Amino acid sequence: MLNLGSWEGTTREEVAASWPGRVDQSDKHNWLFGSPDGESYDAVAARLSIWSEKLNDPGALIVVSHGVTGRALRGLYAGLPRTEPFALPIRRDTVFKLSNRGIEDLTAS
């Protein structure tokens, strides 16, 4: 989950109207990290890294996640640069297998 602070429950268009210029230099996903009182990408990545490091290679594990956090988690796992996780697919009916630093979509047709 991602804390959007005062932007919680708003659309990008509503943010652009209420906070002029705040999302102008951002793409369709990274704008989520621009809230003045919300979480930054680095904060989300740090929280996910702490969590994943505590797993201590437990073997098979099933993790359920929301969209933005799921993208960030897959990006961190695969060692992707900060801007790339948000280009990863996000669908409600998808299962991803993370193995050997790779990402496999098990529901791809």
Side-chain angles (χ1 to χ4, degrees), residues 48 51-52 63 65 68-78 85 98:
L48 290 172
W51 172 79
S52 64
V63 177
S65 177
V68 173
T69 306
R71 282 178 166 165
L73 183 60
R74 286 182 279 147
L76 289 168
Y77 179 83
L98 307 181

Side-chain angles (χ1 to χ4, degrees), residues 7-57:
W7 293 2
E8 198 70 46
T10 61
T11 65
R12 181 182 175 145
E13 292 74 25
E14 291 168 336
V15 168
S18 297
W19 288 271
R22 202 63 192 201
V23 297
D24 292 347
Q25 302 300 316
S26 187
D27 66 24
K28 69 179 185 174
H29 303 292
N30 283 316
W31 74 272
L32 295 167
F33 300 106
S35 175
D37 56 349
E39 275 186 294
S40 66
Y41 176 82
D42 292 337
V44 172
R47 185 163 42 91
L48 290 172
S49 293
I50 291 168
W51 172 79
S52 64
E53 287 170 7
K54 290 181 179 180
L55 298 178
N56 294 326
D57 192 25

Side-chain angles (χ1 to χ4, degrees), residues 66-108:
H66 292 278
V68 173
T69 306
R71 282 178 166 165
L73 183 60
R74 286 182 279 147
L76 289 168
Y77 179 83
L80 299 178
R82 181 193 189 288
T83 56
E84 290 185 27
F86 303 105
L88 295 173
I90 180 172
R91 295 183 311 274
R92 297 176 197 266
D93 62 347
T94 305
V95 175
F96 295 101
K97 178 181 179 183
L98 307 181
S99 177
N100 298 318
R101 297 292 172 206
I103 305 167
E104 179 183 359
D105 184 343
L106 298 179
T107 53

